[in-house]
Amino acid sequence: MEGALHLLLRPYYRPLGAAVFLQALAGICSLVPWILLGYIAARDQTLGDMRVLWPIAISGLLWLLGQTLALYLTHRVDAGLCHQLRLKLATKLQRLPLNWFVHQGEDGVARYVEQDVRALHQLIAHAPTDLVNLLVVPLVALGYLLTLNLSLALFVLLPLGAAVGLFMAMRASRFRSAVEQRDRTMEHMLESYGSLASHPVAVRQYPQAGVQAQAQAASELFAAAFSHWVQRIGGFSAGTQLLLGAPLLAVWAIAGALGSGHSQLPAAQLCVFLLMVKAIAAPLQAMGHGGDALRSARLAAARLNALLAMPEMTEGTQQPDLAAPANIDVRELDFSYAGQPVLRNISFMLPAGSVTAIVGPSGAGKSSLLLLLARFMDPDRGQILVGGQPLDSLSDAGRFRLITPVLQQGCALSQPLDQNIALYRPDAEPAAIHAAARAACLHEEIMARPLGYQSIPGKDIQLSGGELQRLSIARALLSPAPILLLDEPTSALDPQTAVALLGRLRQRAGTTVIVSHRLADVIDADCILVLERGQLVARGNHRQLLAAGGLYRRLWDSQGDTYGY
């Protein structure tokens, strides 16, 4: 592993080295009792001879201690590494632009934080000891067999060598595409069934279509890919298991002894042969599943390494001048996503204390512009100045004191409602919290609950989409930040609540920017910015834009037919 993961692993080289040494010692000690028992049997000694029993007992104890300590060390390294990696990922995810998260989808971040980190468990906790067993135990056992009976040892090695050859053939490049297709279709199937579990209403509303059909199709694709993979390597796999099976090896060793002039071979020596051959075969048998686990771990490590190496948004160092007017100046802004332009050459200036609306058809770039103003993403070109300071020059803490964003999807933490509302001002008095909830048209509904502001979302109450949205707005209204950014603040509200809420938002001191698809909600804004296909095509107040015609007039007329105004 290279890069960030290599740096994370480097502090653990010493305990990993100790684990490898202890496992090697344990592997050797695991063979000593069988060798000594063969020695006892060959010389007709009894188990009462303490000179022989002591080495057996000591080797058994060393095996137990070495194995236990080796696994303890590797699991301790695994726990420490995964803990440090999760901390590093948490820091990294805070510095990535929001569009990266959108590109990952619902389960993308969970894959990195949960699945990929968990996959490293095999690589760190088990691979060092497994590899030592795979190398040390067969080599020591083979060396002993060669000294015991050279010709028989070479004969017994034939099925073992053939099994290793079959295993290497299964890992050949010509089968790689089948393995990758199996893994891709399995991952797609798991994602599809995860989506199926997350959308039970859609499944029942559209049976045999939509989410359910996608899950069924993904399952069929995986079955086909798995069947193709089995057909290609199934014979190799079955042959490997057969050649490494204890019955075949035992029969092979006995046949070799009888057929090569060793019919007078002592039974004790033959038993030692069989035990040593089994000791060689055991780690070889684990190569298949261990190889798949290690392959998954290596792929996970590569993905995590690539994520940790991704360019991140750099944090500024300056603090905002909160005494300066909270005006917003956008200059020649360009932004693209996945190679497609989203915003092009956007320039405007919003005076402090003004209310500005951003409108336009779906896909015009409204929400992207708002996210850029919140610095959840950085533009490809251009500059955003807030209060005369470049937005990217501000520290994160300073930016939070200056700007409060409210995104379309509201959220609630698993803590009392008053603490949920006070996230931006944890020291806020109850009266201020209640005032913010009242301004967000949420106070009466909270007080109607048995526990009031002490209700815990998800435990004591279940909040609707509209209530979550108003909770986020109440949280923002309590914030002391002079700039408030709102993305579709009334999308989940009924018309009466939406009118009341917008009226209270307009009474707020400070600079307010509202993204809205419904023009009637923002007709009294000081300035309306009209976006179309990523370009700023018009600006002005409601009357000016209606008189000018163009896109705004067309949107107004079409919404008038829909909403009846």
Side-chain angles (χ1 to χ4, degrees):
M1 293 180 292
E2 299 178 355
L5 289 177
H6 172 72
L7 293 175
L8 282 173
L9 189 58
R10 187 162 56 186
Y12 303 101
Y13 282 162
R14 183 171 296 178
L16 282 177
V20 168
F21 171 78
L22 289 169
Q23 185 61 49
L25 177 64
I28 295 172
C29 290
S30 69
L31 301 176
V32 171
W34 307 118
I35 296 174
L36 291 178
L37 287 174
Y39 173 82
I40 291 173
R43 286 159 178 75
D44 294 326
Q45 292 180 333
T46 64
L47 290 177
D49 189 346
M50 297 301 295
R51 291 175 302 176
V52 178
L53 283 182
W54 274 113
I56 293 177
I58 292 173
S59 62
L61 181 62
L62 289 175
W63 167 81
L64 179 63
L65 290 175
Q67 181 89 0
T68 303
L69 289 174
L71 289 175
Y72 167 76
L73 289 173
T74 55
H75 279 77
R76 184 175 179 179
V77 169
D78 172 54
L81 175 64
C82 290
H83 174 66
Q84 291 298 321
L85 187 55
R86 287 191 174 98
L87 292 178
K88 201 169 186 69
L89 284 173
T91 302
K92 184 71 176 185
L93 293 175
Q94 292 179 8
R95 307 306 312 165
L96 292 177
L98 195 62
N99 54 333
W100 179 86
F101 293 88
V102 175
H103 180 68
Q104 296 303 309
E106 292 183 4
D107 301 322
V109 177
R111 173 179 179 175
Y112 286 103
V113 178
E114 297 176 8
Q115 299 176 26
D116 283 349
V117 173
R118 190 165 57 245
L120 293 180
H121 172 75
Q122 178 67 23
L123 188 65
I124 305 302
H126 295 284
T129 54
D130 290 346
L131 289 174
V132 170
N133 275 333
L134 183 61
L135 294 174
V136 173
V137 173
L139 288 176
V140 173
L142 177 59
Y144 175 74
L145 291 181
L146 290 174
T147 60
L148 192 64
N149 193 310
L150 178 61
S151 59
L152 185 57
L154 293 176
F155 181 78
V156 170
L157 279 179
L158 292 177
L160 297 175
V164 173
L166 289 178
F167 177 80
M168 298 302 295
M170 284 191 294
R171 292 294 187 269
S173 58
R174 66 179 184 275
F175 298 126
R176 190 173 302 158
S177 61
V179 175
E180 292 174 350
Q181 180 69 10
R182 177 203 65 182
D183 293 345
R184 281 196 302 269
T185 54
M186 177 184 288
E187 184 177 334
H188 179 55
M189 179 184 67
L190 294 176
E191 290 177 354
S192 298
Y193 275 89
S195 180
L196 181 70
S198 301
H199 300 87
V201 176
V203 173
R204 297 195 178 197
Q205 188 174 3
Y206 308 107
Q208 303 302 322
V211 179
Q212 183 176 356
Q214 292 175 4
Q216 291 175 343
S219 179
E220 292 171 0
L221 285 174
F222 170 70
F226 186 82
S227 176
H228 176 67
W229 170 70
V230 169
Q231 288 175 3
R232 296 206 65 185
I233 72 162
F236 294 96
S237 178
T240 301
Q241 296 302 314
L242 176 65
L243 290 170
L244 294 176
L248 184 141
L249 291 174
V251 171
W252 185 266
I254 294 172
L258 295 175
S260 58
H262 297 291
S263 58
Q264 301 303 315
L265 187 70
Q269 195 176 81
L270 182 59
C271 289
V272 172
F273 248 92
L274 297 178
L275 290 171
M276 290 296 104
V277 169
K278 181 59 179 174
I280 296 173
L284 297 178
Q285 282 180 314
M287 285 193 305
H289 296 297
D292 285 341
L294 286 176
R295 178 178 176 275
S296 298
R298 285 196 300 268
L299 292 174
R303 284 191 295 266
L304 289 169
N305 192 37
L307 172 60
L308 292 172
M310 282 185 61
E312 58 186 43
M313 298 173 63
T314 58
E315 181 181 359
T317 58
Q318 297 184 17
Q319 297 301 315
D321 182 5
L322 297 177
N327 56 334
I328 300 174
D329 189 5
V330 176
R331 300 176 180 177
E332 300 177 345
L333 207 65
D334 283 356
F335 175 70
S336 59
Y337 174 66
Q340 299 296 320
V342 178
L343 296 168
R344 291 175 290 175
N345 197 29
I346 302 293
S347 297
F348 57 83
M349 201 280 290
L350 308 179
S354 63
V355 177
T356 302
I358 303 175
V359 303
S362 298
K366 304 185 296 296
S367 295
S368 295
L369 179 55
L370 198 77
L371 294 176
L372 291 170
L373 294 177
R375 213 201 165 205
F376 286 164
M377 308 181 296
D378 279 336
D380 302 328
R381 185 181 71 90
Q383 192 176 37
I384 301 174
L385 291 91
V386 179
Q389 296 175 276
L391 185 59
D392 57 5
S393 71
L394 301 177
S395 67
D396 287 347
R399 177 164 49 87
F400 294 149
R401 289 198 297 271
L402 193 62
I403 301 172
T404 296
V406 178
L407 302 185
Q408 189 172 355
Q409 300 297 328
C411 66
L413 303 183
S414 183
Q415 57 189 42
L417 287 174
D418 57 354
Q419 296 180 28
N420 261 284
I421 295 174
L423 288 180
Y424 289 118
R425 278 180 58 191
D427 58 345
E429 296 291 333
I433 295 173
H434 297 178
R438 192 174 287 107
C441 303
L442 192 61
H443 176 74
E444 289 75 13
E445 295 180 30
I446 294 176
M447 294 305 296
R449 309 282 183 171
L451 298 179
Y453 281 88
Q454 295 307 304
S455 304
I456 299 177
K459 179 181 177 181
D460 303 320
I461 57 172
Q462 297 296 328
L463 298 177
S464 66
E467 289 171 331
L468 286 172
Q469 198 168 43
R470 280 176 283 161
L471 180 69
S472 297
I473 294 172
R475 190 180 295 150
L477 291 175
L478 190 61
S479 166
I483 297 176
L484 178 60
L485 308 177
L486 299 156
D487 190 4
E488 302 284 4
T490 62
S491 60
L493 306 182
D494 61 82
Q496 292 78 12
T497 305
V499 170
L501 178 61
L502 289 168
R504 293 172 184 177
L505 285 174
R506 295 183 190 104
Q507 298 172 6
R508 172 186 174 274
T511 307
T512 305
V513 180
I514 303 174
V515 167
S516 179
H517 72 281
R518 192 166 183 264
L519 303 185
D521 290 346
V522 294
I523 57 175
D524 55 353
D526 300 314
C527 178
I528 300 175
L529 305 177
V530 186
L531 297 183
E532 183 180 22
R533 297 178 182 176
Q535 292 183 301
L536 181 59
V537 296
R539 75 184 77 187
N541 59 38
H542 175 66
R543 291 184 178 180
Q544 292 170 337
L545 292 171
L546 281 183
L551 175 61
Y552 185 86
R553 181 75 202 203
R554 294 195 301 272
L555 290 173
W556 177 260
D557 291 341
S558 64
Q559 291 188 10
D561 295 335
T562 302
Y563 298 112
Y565 53 78

